[in-house]
Structure formats: structure tokens, C-alpha cells
Amino acid sequence: MALPRFAATRSFHTELKTRINHYFEESGQRMTGDSKLIFKGVLLVSLMVGLYVHLVFFTPLWGWALLECALLGCVIAAIGFNVMHDGAHGSFSRYAWVNKLAAYTLGVLGGSPYMWNSKHNLIHHTYTNIEGHDDDINIQPWMRMTPDQPKHALHRYQHFYFWALYCMLYTSWIFAMDYQKYFSRQIGAIGLKPMNTGEHVSFWGFKVLNLLLYVALPIYMVGFLPWLAGFMLSTAVAGLVLSMVFQLAHTVEDAAFPVPCSVTHKLEDEWAIHQVRTTANFATDNKVVSWLVGGLNFQIEHHLFPKISHVHYPAISKIVQQVCSEFDITYNNYARTRTAVMSHVMFLRQMGRAA
């Protein structure tokens, strides 16, 4: 499958970059994270280690244990949003080794940093919402996420059962999808570049470490059934939270799903306009939400400037909105989280019933 090509016009993107660069020059700030982000990262990682140690080595009564497992799932997602995500984009810190360390938290949590970089940084951020290329919208045959995907009878009810599927994201990610990509050597229709020896060792090393930390040791310490209950609860919570935050960014009623020309494979818009049209923000005035999800509620800003840390998104969003207004480009923003969730549900209902 030929890769889509974006329109050659660069005026919108050029104007955005000029104004954003001017903002950082005037403010004297670095584009990477600050000391508050480092503190938040240390806090979240420490909280996860504390919960893990307490659950595995000082196992509380079952009611309290289940509560801690649910909290652990939330913390896992929060580390992904706040630490791993910025680190993988090279925006967590001005130091490359700190970014690498932050990105590698994904490996400790069971994922593959190599696969994430290929799937998310390279493919999703380039071909956002393009059917056949963006693997984030490929949940076939269980769900229909774009107008160009085939529709099956069960999709009529996907706006009811999607909650259960989203709960399964984390376990299917670490136990199935990474391996499928590793052995098939491709993500969707796009082939992966050959892995070197270090990347192979990293892939398998993190997978083994995850099995030891989250399967073997807990079973040895607390027994199979208590481990299974806790593991299923924590991974279901993490999967649901991760899924919802990422889906609210791209699969809502106002998001576009551009289709390249069948002959030239060219898209109508330049890359930056494409990112705005295929993306949506939510609850950007809610500082608690922004803190918890690592600024991923400012998804438009993130897609336009992925190498800028999320701590700067509230400030630069004003610039992005102004430029969008000047170029007559719709800036998709849902004022509240619940409004974005409802839009996602309605989008799924529409995809399940439309021809």
C-alpha cells in the first residue's frame, strides 16, 4: 500500500512554528519539561513502587487490596501519560539520558519502547486517522472506527460493549499486540525497519522482566487466585483509562478521517492542518484533568508540537487557537470530559449504524 502524501502548502505550519518559537524566545523557557514535571514523575513512580510492594509483600485484606489494585491501574496509566509519553517524544527533560529513562518506564510496565516509537511516534503522528495506516484506529473486527472500515452486525452495539474491550487494551497490548508486531515485522500496512541486536535484547528483556515482576513473583507471594483477581482489576482499570484518553483525542464526532486520492495518494491538506482536523481537545480548563493525563487533553497542541513538553500546552494553545482562527481552521475542543465521552459514544453509534 502506497503511503499517503500531504499537500505541499506549508503556510499554516510555518506561521505556527514562527509564533511558538517567538513565545519561547520571549519567555526564556525551554521547550522540555521543568522541575515540577520531574517531581511529578518521581511521585508517580514512587507511588507505584509503594503500591506494588504493599500488595505483593505485605498483602492487605481483600477489600483494601482490591482498592489498591484499582489505584495501581490508575497510576500505571498516569505514568504512561506523564512520564513515558513525554520521554518517548524527547520532551520530558533537556537531557537525552533522562528522556530515555522516562521512555523505558514503558518496558518495566510490560510494553516495548521500540514498538511504541514505531507505532505511535512515527506512524500515528504522521498518518493520524488515515485508514490502513494509523494502527490506533484498527480494532477490527471487534469495532468499526472509521467510515472506510467494513461494517459487521455486532458493530450496531459497539457503543454499548466498547467499555469491556477498552478494559482489555493493556493485557492485549503487552501479551499479544507487541508480539504480533515483532513477528510480523509490520504495523498495519507499514513495515518495520530491521531491529538491531540491542533492540532485540531490549524487547525480550523487558518482556521477561514484566512476567517476573507482575506474574511469577506475585503468584509465588500471594497465590494464583488472589494474583489473578488483582491483576485483572489493575490491568482493566489501566486499559480503560488509557483507551478513553487516547480515543477522546481522535474518534469523536468532530474529528475527520481524510482519504488520500486513489491515484496520486495525495491528501487535501498540509500535514499541520491534517493534524488539527483529525484531533480534538477536551477539558482544557480543568487543571486536575490536565495534571492527571499529562496534558493529553491538549491533543491538538501535542500533535502539532510533539517535542514540546505538555507542561507548556495551556500557554501555547492560545497561540494555536489564534492561528487556526486566522486561517479559518476549526479547532475542535470539548469543554468537559463528559461531553467528549458522550461524543465518542455517539461516534461509535454512528459508525455502527451508518452504511
Side-chain angles (χ1 to χ4, degrees):
M1 183 183 295
L3 295 176
R5 294 185 295 127
F6 295 95
T9 304
R10 305 294 293 180
S11 56
F12 174 70
H13 197 197
T14 300
E15 184 63 26
L16 273 175
K17 289 190 295 183
T18 299
R19 296 196 195 182
I20 295 298
N21 289 335
H22 181 66
Y23 164 78
F24 281 103
E25 289 171 2
E26 276 201 330
S27 64
Q29 301 179 78
R30 295 181 182 274
M31 294 185 180
T32 51
D34 52 18
S35 58
K36 292 181 180 179
L37 180 57
I38 298 294
F39 174 78
K40 180 164 64 166
V42 172
L43 175 65
L44 290 172
V45 172
S46 299
L47 182 56
M48 179 180 172
V49 172
L51 287 169
Y52 176 88
V53 170
H54 191 240
L55 284 166
V56 174
F57 298 100
F58 304 94
T59 310
L61 295 175
W62 69 270
W64 189 257
L66 291 177
L67 184 63
E68 287 191 16
C69 286
L71 179 58
L72 179 62
C74 292
V75 174
I76 287 172
I79 291 174
F81 297 145
N82 291 277
V83 182
M84 182 280 290
H85 190 251
D86 270 22
H89 280 293
S91 64
F92 185 81
S93 167
R94 59 175 168 159
Y95 300 108
W97 69 270
V98 176
N99 286 321
K100 191 171 185 178
L101 187 65
Y104 274 18
T105 57
L106 176 61
V108 180
L109 296 175
S112 166
Y114 174 86
M115 293 302 170
W116 174 262
N117 180 64
S118 299
K119 168 187 165 68
H120 181 79
N121 294 6
L122 301 180
I123 298 175
H124 169 69
H125 270 268
T126 303
Y127 306 112
T128 313
N129 276 14
I130 299 178
E131 170 59 23
H133 294 84
D134 186 358
D135 194 57
D136 282 11
I137 54 175
N138 181 19
I139 317 179
Q140 300 182 71
W142 314 111
M143 296 181 69
R144 184 178 187 236
M145 304 299 286
T146 81
D148 297 299
Q149 291 177 351
K151 187 179 72 171
H152 304 301
L154 77 162
H155 295 155
R156 187 174 180 84
Y157 310 101
Q158 66 179 10
H159 59 294
F160 294 118
Y161 65 72
F162 77 94
W163 302 99
L165 286 181
Y166 288 1
C167 286
M168 297 169 58
L169 168 73
Y170 188 51
T171 50
S172 61
W173 178 0
I174 62 178
F175 292 131
M177 291 189 289
D178 272 351
Y179 292 104
Q180 185 272 329
K181 293 175 176 60
Y182 180 86
F183 288 110
S184 68
R185 305 301 306 136
Q186 65 180 43
I187 297 176
I190 301 176
L192 289 171
K193 70 178 181 65
M195 298 171 68
N196 59 40
T197 301
E199 289 165 340
H200 283 290
V201 171
S202 172
F203 180 89
W204 289 106
F206 279 128
K207 290 300 182 183
V208 171
L209 177 64
N210 179 257
L211 289 174
L212 291 174
L213 286 177
Y214 299 103
V215 180
L217 183 58
I219 290 176
Y220 176 78
M221 295 299 297
V222 305
F224 180 76
L225 290 180
W227 163 80
L228 183 62
F231 184 79
M232 290 180 64
L233 177 58
S234 61
T235 55
V237 170
L240 180 61
V241 175
L242 288 165
S243 294
M244 288 306 300
V245 170
F246 284 114
Q247 294 293 5
L248 297 186
H250 303 290
T251 53
V252 288
E253 294 170 292
D254 293 330
F257 293 84
V259 178
C261 173
S262 59
V263 178
T264 65
H265 306 295
K266 290 189 67 173
L267 290 155
E268 179 181 352
D269 297 317
E270 64 165 277
W271 176 85
I273 296 177
H274 175 92
Q275 297 306 315
V276 176
R277 292 185 61 227
T278 57
T279 308
N281 289 357
F282 66 93
T284 52
D285 291 331
N286 191 319
K287 293 183 179 180
V288 174
V289 170
S290 297
W291 193 91
L292 291 172
V293 305
L296 290 178
N297 52 331
F298 289 88
Q299 194 73 200
I300 293 174
E301 286 68 31
H302 172 60
H303 266 254
L304 289 170
F305 300 99
K307 292 192 176 297
I308 295 179
S309 173
H310 72 265
V311 301
H312 303 293
Y313 292 165
I316 70 172
S317 69
K318 297 176 177 62
I319 300 172
V320 174
Q321 289 182 63
Q322 179 62 37
V323 178
C324 283
S325 176
E326 293 173 11
F327 279 78
D328 196 24
I329 299 169
T330 301
Y331 181 92
N332 300 318
N333 183 39
Y334 295 93
R336 296 177 176 83
T337 303
R338 63 177 179 271
T339 309
V341 171
M342 182 56 65
S343 183
H344 177 59
V345 173
M346 295 306 295
F347 170 80
L348 293 180
R349 183 177 183 272
Q350 178 184 345
M351 287 299 100
R353 300 190 178 189

